[in-house]
Amino acid sequence: MAPTDELVFAPLGGVGEIGMNLGLYGFGPRKARTWLIVDLGMSFAGEEAPGVDLVLPDIRFLEAEKKHIAGLVLTHAHEDHIGAVLDLWPRLKCPIYTTRFTAGLLEAKRAGEPGAPSQLPITVVRSGGTVDIGPFGVEFIPVAHSIPDSHALAIRTSVGLVVHTGDWKLDPTPVVGLPTDVARLKALGDEGVRAIICDSTNAVRDGVSPSEADVGASLREIVGKAKHRVAFTTFSSNVARIRGIAESAYANGREVVVVGRALERVIGVAREQGLLDGVPAFRTAEAYGYLPREKVVAILTGSQGEQRAALRRIADDDHPEIALSPGDLVVFSSRTIPGNEKVVNHIVNALTKRGVEVLTDRKALVHVSGHPRRGELAEMYRMVRPQVSIPVHGEALHLHEHAQLAKSLGVPEVVNCYDGNVIRLAPGPAERVDDVPFGRLYKDGRLLIPDGGRSIPERRKLSFVGAVSVAVAVDRQGGLAGDPSVEITGVPERGEGGIDMLDHVLDTVVATLDTLPKARRRDPDALAETLERAVRSAVNAVWGKKPVCHVHILEV
């Protein structure tokens, strides 16, 4: 170890927000650090970004440090941890390290996505194994979560050991996959842990999360009582839940129909890796209409209200093969991710209006979180006994509650951290020592748009006030070469007093042109500016809002 070597942690996503997880560990002298990336995830766009598909972390800092990146480690295969890999890896082109199921799911996703990289340099590490990545020794420690093959990381350097928990919970009966390796975590605590970088998602909830096995027993009872079709929607990646639903169906003499590409992809990888051994092959959507109502259990994509997912299309009566009838039951075996409440409520209301029964986790044990509650967090701290706690993976309230809990448990140093902060972990006291650029990229179609770009704010404005387009042709002398053309989009057809808005705008354009001398008409920029002000003012007078106005001057 050189005297100037430091170990730092710097999140670029997922700290102060839910989703879009991207953590960095840097080692070496301050001006020549080697970087280890942990996870590269996405989040869903909300109303603040109309028309946008996904939100990815801005990696301009990593692009500038590209030559100093040792590798990318993926803790597990949830989209908020791997969902940006296919879009952003080509900008980094670093080695990728992960375990078998995560690698399989990422490869299946790559193979099915147009424009994805032709290959990814993935090194598959066995669960419980260790790999050296530059100056970092990284051990993959199995943890229970709501997707198989999830891991915490023990990251070793010459200045100290860090435990990066990833997403985890303490579940002795996870149904699919390994339980959290409590013995190994205790051994790390005995070895001496400098810092823990720990999941905060459920830090506001007391107690201990129920087991996945408890959910399976509840689902079996729900299916047994149902008189007609039962449709479950859940996170596509939750193989344990898929298995539990299937076992509930077969125990009650029902067939399982799977609908949705994301589910089919996960199920394909799970079957290849033996995670669904003993579960018969599922039926496809084509079989749905031929099965008696009382003999069907369907598993559907769309638990978060995604626009083209199966459940949304069924709720909107827009699915070519699947329909639900009065008396059928839909079970949301999931939680609603913050920001998705409106679209999920739309589905619930649409189904309810059609006489379909809807069951959520507010009424029955149909879902458990994959994240630790306060009792489990306390147990993790008792096992690992870190000198430093840095809460991550949560919004400000989650991080605060986690920090208070860590302090109450006697952790000597608790550091508040948010995206862009650089926290020194060792040597010396843990503290914020720098900041690095961070932000968001909006995936808009096939493009990645920086947060500071014009298109998203302009789109937001258009969604509130609409647009008016005006086209005017003038000759070289400033005379009109034809009648003006006007189009309105997103503007009310009639204003106050029943005024026809299109006629009102056209009259305003004509009247404004009549008042202008020909010399001013010969200046295209001045003419466009004058017409824009006049139109916006005229519309505001009969609507109370000023639309976006585009004026095109054609010189002939």
Side-chain angles (χ1 to χ4, degrees):
M1 180 188 80
T4 56
D5 283 345
E6 287 183 327
L7 174 62
V8 299
F9 172 67
L12 299 185
V15 186
E17 63 195 342
I18 299 292
M20 206 172 72
N21 295 284
L22 168 52
L24 304 179
Y25 290 90
F27 182 79
R30 180 168 297 193
K31 295 188 180 297
R33 293 181 177 125
T34 298
W35 295 98
L36 178 71
I37 308 170
V38 176
D39 293 329
L40 191 54
M42 46 69 68
S43 61
F44 293 106
E47 293 180 349
E48 81 287 350
V52 167
D53 304 310
L54 304 171
V55 184
L56 313 181
D58 187 332
I59 59 167
R60 62 186 183 273
F61 171 74
L62 281 174
E63 291 180 89
E65 293 285 315
K66 183 176 177 180
K67 293 181 180 179
H68 305 294
I69 298 173
L72 163 63
V73 178
L74 303 175
T75 60
H76 65 286
H78 273 149
E79 286 295 302
D80 62 331
H81 291 257
I82 69 165
V85 171
L86 298 184
D87 287 299
L88 298 183
W89 178 84
R91 301 186 179 193
L92 305 174
K93 295 192 174 178
C94 59
I96 301 173
Y97 302 85
T98 192
T99 45
R100 188 179 175 214
F101 182 79
T102 303
L105 200 53
L106 184 58
E107 175 58 26
K109 183 181 177 186
R110 185 203 62 77
E113 187 162 317
S118 59
Q119 60 181 4
L120 293 171
I122 300 176
T123 297
V124 177
V125 183
R126 69 175 179 83
S127 184
T130 300
V131 61
D132 290 328
I133 308 172
F136 305 94
V138 181
E139 179 182 351
F140 288 77
I141 302 163
V143 292
H145 186 45
S146 52
I147 189 171
D149 214 27
S150 296
H151 292 85
L153 306 174
I155 302 173
R156 292 180 173 81
T157 70
S158 58
V159 298
L161 165 64
V162 175
V163 173
H164 182 104
T165 68
D167 293 359
W168 66 280
K169 65 182 290 188
L170 295 178
D171 186 348
T173 52
V175 177
V176 171
L178 298 171
T180 297
D181 192 340
V182 170
R184 187 65 194 132
L185 290 169
K186 288 180 178 177
L188 292 173
D190 294 339
E191 181 181 336
V193 173
R194 171 57 185 163
I196 187 169
I197 315 297
C198 189
D199 181 0
S200 306
T201 309
N202 278 340
V204 296
R205 304 188 68 182
D206 289 325
V208 173
S209 298
S211 170
E212 187 65 38
D214 297 332
V215 177
S218 177
L219 299 185
R220 184 173 300 197
E221 183 178 348
I222 289 166
V223 174
K225 292 180 179 179
K227 295 180 181 178
H228 301 299
R229 299 184 188 97
V230 183
F232 288 91
T233 185
T234 188
F235 295 106
S236 299
S237 57
N238 196 333
V239 178
R241 191 68 47 79
I242 293 168
R243 184 174 192 118
I245 293 168
E247 290 174 348
S248 299
Y250 298 134
N252 287 283
R254 292 178 179 244
E255 296 275 358
V256 177
V257 175
V258 170
V259 187
R261 284 194 297 271
L263 274 166
E264 292 166 1
R265 181 167 60 207
V266 171
I267 289 167
V269 175
R271 286 199 182 279
E272 287 175 7
Q273 299 192 8
L275 299 175
L276 290 174
D277 284 353
V279 176
F282 300 138
R283 305 290 291 272
T284 61
E286 290 81 3
Y288 181 86
Y290 299 101
L291 295 170
R293 287 178 70 188
E294 70 278 5
K295 294 296 183 182
V296 177
V297 165
I299 309 178
L300 311 172
T301 55
S303 67
Q304 301 307 306
E306 300 92 329
Q307 182 70 38
R308 300 306 298 166
L311 185 59
R312 175 69 175 267
R313 298 183 67 188
I314 293 165
D316 292 340
D317 201 21
D318 183 40
H319 198 285
E321 295 163 311
I322 309 295
L324 293 169
S325 306
D328 291 343
L329 174 65
V330 170
V331 180
F332 279 80
S333 189
S334 58
R335 69 174 179 90
T336 302
I337 295 172
N340 294 343
E341 293 88 353
K342 276 191 175 181
V343 288
V344 172
N345 287 340
H346 163 79
I347 290 174
V348 171
N349 287 321
L351 293 170
T352 302
K353 286 179 182 178
R354 289 163 50 190
V356 176
E357 298 294 324
V358 176
L359 186 62
T360 71
D361 61 353
R362 285 175 287 186
K363 293 184 179 180
L365 182 58
V366 296
H367 176 68
V368 288
S369 172
H371 301 273
R373 295 186 184 181
R374 293 174 70 84
E376 292 156 281
L377 286 169
E379 182 60 26
M380 175 65 82
Y381 281 100
R382 283 191 285 268
M383 291 188 290
V384 174
R385 307 184 297 283
Q387 295 174 320
V388 178
S389 167
I390 301 182
V392 296
H393 202 295
E395 296 174 339
L397 176 62
H398 306 108
L399 304 179
H400 172 75
E401 290 297 320
H402 185 163
Q404 293 301 109
L405 176 64
K407 290 175 183 177
S408 74
L409 294 169
V411 178
E413 300 175 74
V414 179
V415 180
N416 295 319
C417 175
Y418 287 95
D419 290 345
N421 297 164
V422 178
I423 308 298
R424 182 181 61 215
L425 301 178
E431 60 185 358
R432 180 177 170 183
V433 294
D434 202 356
D435 293 294
V436 295
F438 73 101
R440 297 179 168 212
L441 296 173
Y442 294 108
K443 187 170 184 182
D444 192 13
R446 292 193 296 272
L447 304 179
L448 294 180
I449 308 295
D451 193 13
R454 291 173 48 193
S455 60
I456 305 304
E458 288 177 351
R459 205 176 293 172
R460 280 198 295 265
K461 189 173 182 181
L462 284 169
S463 70
F464 285 108
V465 297
V468 175
S469 299
V470 178
V472 176
V474 295
D475 58 29
R476 293 181 180 178
Q477 288 72 43
L480 292 179
D483 293 334
S485 174
V486 172
E487 291 186 4
I488 61 174
T489 303
V491 176
E493 294 178 3
R494 295 192 177 277
E496 288 181 335
I499 293 175
D500 184 286
M501 193 70 80
L502 188 61
D503 288 344
H504 181 57
V505 172
L506 186 57
D507 290 344
T508 300
V509 171
V510 171
T512 303
L513 289 169
D514 287 343
T515 64
L516 291 176
K518 286 188 176 182
R520 189 164 179 81
R521 292 184 193 170
R522 288 197 296 268
D523 183 341
D525 293 337
L527 178 56
E529 182 182 350
T530 300
L531 288 173
E532 179 184 342
R533 284 203 309 266
V535 167
R536 296 185 75 218
S537 178
V539 173
N540 184 54
V542 297
W543 183 24
K545 290 185 177 182
K546 293 182 179 181
V548 174
C549 184
H550 300 288
V551 180
H552 178 62
I553 306 299
L554 177 65
E555 296 178 277
V556 295

